[in-house]
Amino acid sequence: MENLIALLIAAPLLGAAVLLCGGRRLDKAGHWLGTLFAAASFGIGVALFTDMLGRAADDRTLSQKLYTWIPVEGFQADVAFQLDQLSMTFVLLISGVGTLIHVYSIGYMEHDERRRRFFGYLNLFLAAMLLLVLADNYLLLYVGWEGVGLASYLLIGFWQHKSSAATAAKKAFLVNRVGDMGLSIAIMLLFTTFGTFAFGPVFASVGNATEGKLTAIALMLLLAACGKSAQVPLQSWLGDAMEGPTPVSALIHAATMVTAGVYLIVRSAAVFNGAPDAQLVVTVVGAVTLLFGAIVGCAKDDIKKALAGSTMSQIGYMILAAGLGPIGYVFAIMHLVTHGFFKAGLFLGAGSVMHGMNDEVDMRKYGALRKFMPVTFVTFGLGYLAIIGFPGLSGFFSKDMIIEAAFAKGGTQGWILGGVTLLGAGITAFYMTRVMLLTFFGEKRWQPDAAGHEPHPHESPKSMTVPMVILAFGSVFAGAFFEIGERFLKWLEPVTGYEHGNSPVSAMAVTASTMVVLVVGVGIAWSMYGRRPVPVLAPRGSLLTRAARRDLFQDDFNHVVLVRGGEHLTRSLVYVDHSLVDGVVNGTAASVGGLSGRLRKLQNGYARSYAVSMFGGTAILIAATLLMRAV
Amino acid sequence: MSTIAAAATVTSTGEAVQFWVLGTVAVIGALSTILMKKAVHSALSLAGTMIILAVFYLANGAYFLGVVQVIVYTGAIMMLFLFVVMLVGVTAADSLKETLKGQRWMALLCALGFGTLLIAGIAHARLNHFNGLGRINSGGHVEGLATLIFTKYVFAFEITGALLITAAVGAMVLTHRERTERAATQRELAERRVREGVQLPPLPAPGVYARHNAVDVAGLLPDGTPSELTVSKTLRARGQIRDVSSQALSDLKALEQASAERLGREEASQ
Amino acid sequence: MNPVNYLYLAALLFTIGASGVLIRKNAIVLFMCVELMLNACNLAFVAFSRMHGNLDGQIIAFFTMVVAAAEVVVGLAIIVSLFRTRHSASVDDASLMKL
């Protein structure tokens, strides 16, 4: 059975190779091929999953070693895979949601002449992400990590004719590099500390390392996670990444890419457990991002950017949960899976809306679309209910668990974190309700597009609605399915460990207060956007709104601190380089050149002249010998 | 054998006289080697020096080497030199004018310093006693040499064999000129001459000038003009053609002078 | 007579040969001067052989002769081919190896 693991990755990788190398003759069948390869991967994943269910809980880890990648004495890097419950969860999420997005893209990208290439990139994205979650050592994980970065770059910049898309792709790539640097440093630290990269030996010998070293490693891993998962301070690329086609956004936000950071932290649980200070930083990063994303999401009029803010915020929940330690790991992953369902559904729904509205993204120019797009409305609505945590739906269970776990952290920390998560839940309810109301309710505020075409909203084709329906099912039932009988907890516990924290507030109280903030959030949104007509042009808004529209000055901050600072640094370095380094080098060169010009005169080409030099040299040698003997 | 041994250990008065006389000649020969204008003279001086060195070898008990010196150096190598000198042009005299600035002064300075240092070094070494070759040569001189060559120095000996082969091959490669086309036969040459019709009969003989062998003098055509065709191309290339256009005038001058001398003498005798 | 005189003579001849190499332009004469230097060395070797009472010096002189013979053969061949191409045996004319 373990021999199938490599096939999980091989299928989409082969798909990418075939599609990208196949040339134009595959243009007609490319999308079907790509979908087929993704589905094949999902099929293998399901087969492995059923096999895994058939075995005892402590016997569920499979491993497969393909070959030794770098066979050097004292530096062994294997291409080896490890499939345990955690990886399995990701495999199913990635390949499952990924396949649905493939199907959706068939319809969405129908009129794009570079569709084959798009599917090739999608397959590459899946392959890289699967490699990331299946690797059994950090070095191979790093390969997948970089592969994800590459695929995201290609996909975000897919419409490269738009300069904004090209810039966004570059921005995502560059910001991710900062995180990648963290990961590479972490890997080097791991190697110097433990002498190996493999997960098993590293986690087994965590106890031998000092806490300082573990903290350093954990912080570097956190930096990496911040890059990929768009956490503060490396969050700025996520909003711009919306320049990519909508299926890409769905893929990045739901199944791949941003989940990689959460995976990395949960996978390295052993390291983080040994570094409480780093864990505290993780929770702080999670909490800050949670509020940051939520606030940004409230102010955006671009439907995709609002959803992007929401993703940032939800990933913040997961990171926060992962930072809580064993009480939170399971819930981080659980929220990740449920979020995968409803966020994919929401993005696909947003894509469907844009598809019907001439690619208009401004929600202020939507309105009253529920009558024209019933399927999209229902599926989007279910996703909406799930994300705000409507009782009984997925988000309700997973988010509730995280809030509970945050309170269970204990002490002042617990109260603060619990408060932040509760506040986040309220803001989530607000901005998601706002998206819902602006898009589907109210009056028509449609505007002709730049070419003067009036929008004619219509329901999207089957290839797009079917995945949305399936994802809506997931959004509704996944949470309950996981929660009943604590199935998910029992499933993941052998890998991540679990301890039940002592919450100062009872579960009932948490649920009740969540309901309260939810209702308050929805109520405020209703009073602002439901009861009165929405202006097509955005009002000036309060200071906070304006700040949030500018992504809370994230780009301005980066510009002032990093870009300007970098420019000044470079300028001074250039100055030093010109005056000092070049001065020395050029001076040396000039003096050598001048000296050579004079020495060249000696080199007159006459053999006899050289003979005189030789003869004189011999005479001097003899003199020296005699002198030495005389002394 | 005992006399040989004695000669090798003791420096007799006879040897001293021989050294001083022949040594002086050797130095003079060496100096004329480097100072003679013509390469042939240099070569002959050098040959003389080498013969004297052969005598010195004999005096030092190196009988085999002395003979080899005469045969190999004076006999073979110097003849090779002479051969090449002839090939290149025996009469082409070197101009001893120095073209490189300061070269001669530098050379002189270096030579003086070097020689002084060398001689000072030898003097410093205090080599006063000679062991002589008596004991070594007791088993026969040539046999002693042969024993060393074929035992202690056998590898060097073999390698010199390889060196000689390489040198021979190298000399052939360097001087060999690849013929790119078939050499024309005599018949073809004759046919070509007829076809071209420039010079059908054999080339005319060089001019005969009564005073000496005149291969280098152009022959005169019936109208009295000298013909370039009569002199060998090689001589022309070397610039060794004698110009006889002014010969008649100088001859007249010489005749007048001779007669003037005779007349003068006659006047004196009168 | 002190047999060391042979060494003085050898040194003198060597120096004369060396200065010849330096002041003559004709490649053939130049070569002769080199031969003169080699011969001077040989004389020194022979004198040393007598001085130390063994034959090794003579063997070396013998080898020197062989090597000199080989050298002359190749050297003269070079001079001949040089003369063929340049119509001159002057070493100063072959001065292309300069900037």
Side-chain angles (χ1 to χ4, degrees):
Chain A
M1 218 49 201
E2 59 265 18
N3 292 334
L4 286 177
I5 300 175
L7 283 181
L8 279 173
I9 303 166
L13 198 61
L14 180 70
V18 167
L19 291 178
L20 293 179
C21 303
R24 293 186 180 281
R25 71 192 83 113
L26 287 180
D27 271 355
K28 282 197 178 138
H31 45 289
W32 294 113
L33 271 178
T35 313
L36 195 69
F37 280 116
S41 187
F42 180 62
I44 299 166
V46 171
L48 284 165
F49 178 61
T50 46
D51 174 67
M52 188 179 274
L53 282 181
R55 276 176 287 130
D58 51 356
D59 185 32
R60 283 179 172 170
T61 304
L62 289 177
S63 55
Q64 177 188 13
K65 184 184 162 185
L66 275 192
Y67 59 95
T68 302
W69 177 21
I70 306 174
V72 177
E73 180 65 33
F75 185 97
Q76 297 288 325
D78 292 338
V79 173
F81 306 117
Q82 173 191 322
L83 184 71
D84 56 10
Q85 290 92 320
L86 180 61
S87 301
M88 194 72 239
T89 313
F90 272 90
V91 165
L92 289 179
L93 178 71
I94 294 163
S95 58
V97 175
T99 306
L100 289 177
I101 291 172
H102 272 77
V103 174
Y104 177 87
S105 305
I106 295 173
Y108 190 84
M109 301 295 283
E110 197 174 356
H111 304 297
D112 196 304
E113 56 187 26
R114 291 163 73 227
R115 182 162 64 165
R116 169 182 58 83
R117 193 180 290 265
F118 182 77
F119 275 83
Y121 292 158
L122 281 187
N123 273 354
L124 183 66
F125 209 159
L126 287 195
M129 194 64 198
L130 286 168
L131 178 65
L132 196 161
V133 298
L134 284 172
D136 97 322
N137 60 65
Y138 279 100
L139 207 60
L140 193 61
L141 180 144
Y142 190 61
V143 175
W145 191 269
E146 293 293 340
V148 168
L150 167 70
S152 66
Y153 168 78
L154 292 171
L155 283 170
I156 293 170
F158 185 74
W159 285 327
Q160 58 208 199
H161 50 86
K162 290 199 293 184
S163 69
S164 58
T167 314
K170 263 185 279 183
K171 185 175 180 185
F173 198 75
L174 286 176
V175 174
N176 264 295
R177 294 243 50 91
V178 180
D180 296 349
M181 194 56 84
L183 184 55
S184 62
I185 293 172
I187 291 174
M188 292 176 211
L189 282 175
L190 278 166
F191 188 76
T192 53
T193 312
F194 301 108
T196 174
F197 309 111
F199 291 148
V202 166
F203 299 151
S205 52
V206 156
N208 302 337
T210 60
E211 194 183 318
K213 270 204 163 164
L214 286 180
T215 307
I217 295 171
L219 285 177
M220 283 299 121
L221 289 174
L222 173 65
L223 181 64
C226 283
K228 273 280 176 294
S229 292
Q231 299 295 295
V232 175
L234 299 178
Q235 80 291 357
S236 62
W237 65 271
L238 193 70
D240 291 353
M242 292 302 114
E243 289 294 339
T246 307
V248 175
S249 308
L251 197 58
I252 287 180
H253 288 242
T256 59
M257 191 88 179
V258 295
T259 59
V262 183
Y263 171 78
L264 185 68
I265 293 179
V266 175
R267 174 56 80 193
S268 313
V271 176
F272 280 89
N273 289 344
D277 293 341
Q279 278 186 318
L280 178 63
V281 180
V282 175
T283 51
V284 169
V285 165
V288 169
T289 314
L290 191 169
L291 292 178
F292 188 103
I295 293 170
V296 169
C298 292
K300 290 288 182 187
D301 290 330
D302 181 327
I303 183 168
K304 284 175 74 180
K305 292 208 168 154
L307 289 178
S310 134
T311 302
M312 208 188 284
S313 166
Q314 300 300 317
I315 302 286
Y317 269 107
M318 297 169 209
I319 296 282
L320 189 150
L324 293 174
I327 51 175
Y329 291 135
V330 175
F331 304 124
I333 299 299
M334 185 164 137
H335 192 55
L336 193 151
V337 175
T338 54
H339 174 256
F341 283 117
F342 54 70
K343 188 48 67 63
L346 287 172
F347 263 111
L348 296 189
S352 176
V353 170
M354 286 160 57
H355 197 69
M357 294 292 288
N358 291 349
D359 285 332
E360 178 60 65
V361 290
D362 190 346
M363 290 187 290
R364 291 185 183 274
K365 296 175 184 167
Y366 292 165
L369 287 175
R370 64 179 186 280
K371 293 167 204 149
F372 300 91
M373 303 175 151
V375 181
T376 307
F377 169 63
V378 171
T379 53
F380 195 93
L382 288 172
Y384 153 73
L385 290 177
I387 195 172
I388 64 170
F390 191 79
L393 271 63
S394 295
F396 169 75
F397 294 105
S398 53
K399 201 186 287 180
D400 232 32
M401 288 300 167
I402 292 179
I403 298 172
E404 231 173 277
F407 276 115
K409 178 76 178 172
T412 328
Q413 261 187 54
W415 282 106
I416 294 173
L417 292 176
V420 167
T421 47
L422 262 183
L423 180 61
I427 304 177
T428 306
F430 170 77
Y431 67 72
M432 283 314 296
T433 312
R434 174 173 174 268
V435 169
M436 200 66 195
L437 292 175
L438 285 178
T439 306
F440 292 103
F441 294 90
E443 294 155 7
K444 293 181 195 173
R445 299 181 300 274
W446 309 343
Q447 305 283 326
D449 65 5
H453 300 296
E454 283 288 336
H456 299 285
H458 54 84
E459 192 49 87
S460 298
K462 278 273 174 0
S463 66
M464 288 167 71
T465 50
V466 169
M468 286 153 61
V469 171
I470 297 174
L471 287 170
F473 265 98
S475 315
V476 175
F477 299 112
F481 177 78
F482 291 157
E483 193 50 31
I484 293 168
E486 298 190 320
R487 280 196 187 113
F488 201 77
L489 184 59
K490 285 177 187 154
W491 162 251
L492 263 190
E493 196 189 344
V495 182
T496 59
Y498 175 69
E499 53 185 65
H500 193 77
N502 290 320
S503 178
V505 280
S506 70
M508 279 311 291
V510 169
T511 312
S513 42
T514 314
M515 283 306 110
V516 170
V517 292
L518 191 150
V519 170
V520 170
V522 172
I524 294 174
W526 170 253
S527 66
M528 283 176 71
Y529 300 101
R531 289 196 317 179
R532 29 186 159 138
V534 180
V536 175
L537 281 177
R540 201 172 133 78
S542 68
L543 202 62
L544 184 64
T545 317
R546 271 179 284 155
R549 278 195 198 131
R550 294 204 64 159
D551 297 314
L552 293 178
F553 305 116
Q554 58 181 18
D555 290 334
D556 306 78
F557 176 81
N558 286 349
H559 189 77
V560 169
V561 174
L562 299 177
V563 179
R564 288 273 175 73
E567 276 172 358
H568 281 295
L569 185 67
T570 343
R571 238 176 260 148
S572 43
L573 281 180
V574 164
Y575 176 74
V576 169
D577 185 50
H578 274 256
S579 55
L580 201 69
V581 180
D582 284 9
V584 170
V585 172
N586 290 344
T588 314
S591 50
V592 168
L595 199 62
S596 330
R598 284 184 186 89
L599 276 177
R600 198 176 69 165
K601 302 247 164 67
L602 291 178
Q603 199 72 227
N604 52 14
Y606 293 110
R608 294 189 301 138
S609 208
Y610 303 158
V612 167
S613 319
M614 274 174 70
F615 196 47
T618 321
I620 290 168
L621 266 180
I622 291 175
T625 319
L626 286 176
L627 269 179
M628 289 308 291
R629 289 184 60 128
V631 170
Chain B
M1 194 53 72
S2 63
T3 52
I4 293 174
T9 45
V10 182
T11 48
S12 60
T13 322
E15 196 188 337
V17 171
Q18 175 194 299
F19 175 81
W20 288 115
V21 173
L22 290 185
T24 316
V25 177
V27 171
I28 291 171
L31 284 174
S32 46
T33 303
I34 69 167
L35 293 178
M36 283 292 178
K37 261 189 167 184
K38 290 195 173 179
V40 185
H41 297 163
S42 290
L44 290 176
S45 315
L46 185 61
T49 308
M50 282 176 174
I51 288 174
I52 292 169
L53 286 183
V55 175
F56 283 157
Y57 291 171
L58 293 174
N60 273 312
Y63 307 112
F64 178 72
L65 220 54
V67 174
V68 168
Q69 170 85 356
V70 173
I71 295 173
V72 172
Y73 256 118
T74 326
I77 296 183
M78 286 323 293
M79 288 316 110
L80 202 58
F81 266 109
L82 280 175
F83 180 74
V84 172
V85 168
M86 297 299 170
L87 199 70
V88 167
V90 67
T91 55
D94 258 3
S95 105
L96 284 181
K97 194 167 182 291
E98 185 55 62
T99 44
L100 302 183
K101 201 175 127 197
Q103 168 81 8
R104 193 161 285 178
W105 290 112
M106 283 299 293
L108 215 63
L109 191 72
C110 286
L112 268 179
F114 183 82
T116 314
L117 283 168
L118 215 55
I119 288 167
I122 295 168
H124 196 69
R126 269 184 307 215
L127 303 157
N128 289 325
H129 62 289
F130 271 31
N131 290 331
L133 293 164
R135 198 167 43 79
I136 307 296
N137 279 344
S138 58
H141 174 64
V142 176
E143 286 85 342
L145 278 180
T147 311
L148 270 182
I149 286 179
F150 292 113
T151 54
K152 191 175 174 186
Y153 293 102
V154 68
F155 283 113
F157 182 70
E158 296 291 342
I159 289 169
T160 43
L163 178 71
L164 284 173
I165 297 270
T166 316
V169 174
M172 281 195 281
V173 167
L174 281 170
T175 51
H176 178 69
R177 265 187 296 193
E178 197 68 43
R179 189 174 272 285
T180 50
E181 55 194 10
R182 188 175 59 84
T185 62
Q186 209 164 10
R187 183 186 183 86
E188 285 165 346
L189 288 174
E191 281 169 356
R192 196 172 68 199
R193 216 157 57 212
V194 171
R195 213 166 32 240
E196 285 170 355
V198 178
Q199 179 73 34
L200 206 51
L203 292 171
V208 177
Y209 203 76
R211 295 273 293 276
H212 57 89
N213 182 9
V215 186
D216 55 349
V217 178
L220 300 181
L221 295 176
D223 60 349
T225 53
S227 166
E228 287 287 306
L229 283 174
T230 54
V231 202
S232 156
K233 268 193 287 187
T234 314
L235 288 180
R236 200 157 48 222
R238 289 184 190 162
Q240 290 174 341
I241 300 175
R242 189 178 296 252
D243 184 18
V244 289
S245 54
S246 60
Q247 192 73 33
L249 287 175
S250 62
D251 280 357
L252 189 64
K253 212 177 186 176
L255 206 64
E256 278 175 350
Q257 196 181 358
S259 60
E261 274 173 6
R262 200 171 56 240
L263 289 174
R265 210 164 41 239
E266 279 168 2
E267 280 168 7
S269 65
Q270 276 172 2
Chain C
M1 182 197 76
N2 192 340
V4 170
N5 286 347
Y6 285 115
L7 296 181
Y8 290 128
L9 179 63
L12 200 57
L13 290 180
F14 187 90
T15 312
I16 292 173
S19 16
V21 169
L22 300 185
I23 61 174
R24 292 305 294 260
K25 280 178 287 190
N26 188 330
I28 303 170
V29 180
L30 209 141
F31 240 97
M32 288 178 202
C33 295
V34 172
E35 292 305 312
L36 184 60
M37 289 161 76
L38 285 169
N39 268 290
C41 291
N42 276 358
L43 180 62
F45 273 124
V46 170
F48 278 126
S49 169
R50 182 179 177 194
M51 216 181 278
H52 293 300
N54 60 27
L55 289 172
D56 292 51
Q58 294 188 17
I59 303 279
I60 301 291
F62 171 71
F63 282 133
T64 312
M65 279 187 197
V66 179
V67 173
E71 176 224 338
V72 164
V73 167
V74 176
L76 287 178
I78 291 174
I79 289 174
V80 166
S81 56
L82 203 68
F83 186 77
R84 267 189 203 150
T85 51
R86 304 183 150 262
H87 297 289
S88 157
S90 169
V91 286
D92 285 0
D93 288 350
S95 61
L96 297 175
M97 293 270 282
K98 63 178 172 189
L99 291 167

